[in-house]
Amino acid sequence: DDSGPEAYFEQLLAEDSRIEPRDWMPEAYRKTLVRQISQHAHSEIIGMQPEANWITRAPSLKRKAILMAKVQDEAGHGLYLYSAAETLGTPREKMTEDLIAGKARYSSIFNYPTLSWADMGAIGWLVDGAAICNQVPLCRASYGPYGRAMVRVCKEESFHQRQGFEILLELANGTEAQREMAQDAINRWYAPSLMMFGPPDDDSPNSKQSMAWNIKRFSNDELRSRFVGMIVEQVKVLGLTLPDDSIRYNEDTQQWEHAPLDWNEFKEVLAGRGPCNAQRLARRREAHEDGAWVREAAAAYAAKQAAAHKT
Ligand code: 3HC
């Protein structure tokens, strides 16, 4: 009869409902979610490093406090997302081991260096701006824990984007040297932030199935186009420019067009040969090893508590 668990799963998708941890789900659905959610979590945690580089170098106490708050938010996003992935049966230790062993992906964008204070503005405005374009639709992902985690994450991302934009606005209205620093940061972060959305649709092996499962709501190119349409207006407020004079709105396709992206560079970064891949993993490994005593102490304490409550 058609009332089996598969039919129930298909019905939940058909009525655009949520799949919850206790619901039956195809193993391939589970696998895709662990892949995407763990990569998302890794991205948040690795993404702390480029910005951490400027916490001690911030130009004022106000900027230092804001940047520290943002980096702490990213840590929280990572822990939130590891918890969502754990509801699918993959322990956090396993995900961390895979990351440290270089076996797990995280967002390409965090393998680029942060060369000046203005990079903190470009990252907030462009990288968190791209993240918002990608994460708002994920609030409606079919897997309950993931979609709900995204609601909280998106609220904090808008703060991240605004503080980045404000850094650039201040620099753009500052001295000539500050304007140039802001423009240079935009020039370096523009193309990599467009590549954050993933490869072109005709080279995106996961998209079709991910969209059929209501995980991915819009294609990589569709979200990239929306992002271009957003920043091409915002950059005017800064009185600066995007390093791409091919940007135009195509009335027929209703898509924003831009200069071709360097997908070989993207593939190199994904293969671990980006500018900062090695140092990002080395730093993550070091942090994990430095924190081993905390994890052991917490586990020992928990064991004692459990034993004490047994007697
Ligand atoms: N960086 C690294 N790998 C990427 C990538 C990127 N920017 N874009 C795609 N890939 C990988 C995919 O993981 C896939 O490899 P895999 O099958 O081995 O996992 C391959 O390239 C092909 O890409 P697909 O388009 O077929 O893959 P997806 O359907 O998974 O789409 C995605 C890629 C759009 C990134 C999707 O995974 C997604 O939406 N992930 C959740 C969002 C996310 O991870 N954002 C990362 C940034 S987090 C962040 O910005 C924090 C903010 O606070 C700054």
Side-chain angles (χ1 to χ4, degrees), residues 125 129 161 165 227 229-239:
W125 175 46
Q161 189 196 26
F165 190 78
F227 177 63
M230 187 175 90
I231 58 176
V232 77
E233 291 311 314
Q234 292 172 340
V235 76
K236 292 174 188 162
V237 176
L238 294 173

Side-chain angles (χ1 to χ4, degrees), residues 109 112 126 186-196 224 243 260-263 265:
I109 192 70
Y112 292 85
L126 293 172
I186 292 172
N187 293 348
R188 282 184 285 108
W189 287 92
Y190 167 75
S193 58
L194 262 58
M195 292 196 266
M196 266 175 79
R224 200 180 345 261
L261 294 165
D262 182 346
W263 294 109
E265 177 184 315

Side-chain angles (χ1 to χ4, degrees), residues 4 25 47 68 77 83 112 125 219 234-235 279-280 282 288 311:
M25 62 185 82
M68 213 146 38
H77 295 172
S83 301
Y112 292 85
W125 175 46
S219 80
Q234 292 172 340
V235 76
Q279 85 185 60
R280 298 288 184 240
H288 188 67
T311 50

Side-chain angles (χ1 to χ4, degrees), residues 57 60 72 77 101 135 168 171 176 253 277 301 306:
R57 300 179 169 92
S60 69
Q72 281 169 334
H77 295 172
Q135 290 170 162
L168 292 175
L171 293 171
E176 197 39 44
T253 62
N277 296 56
Y301 179 74

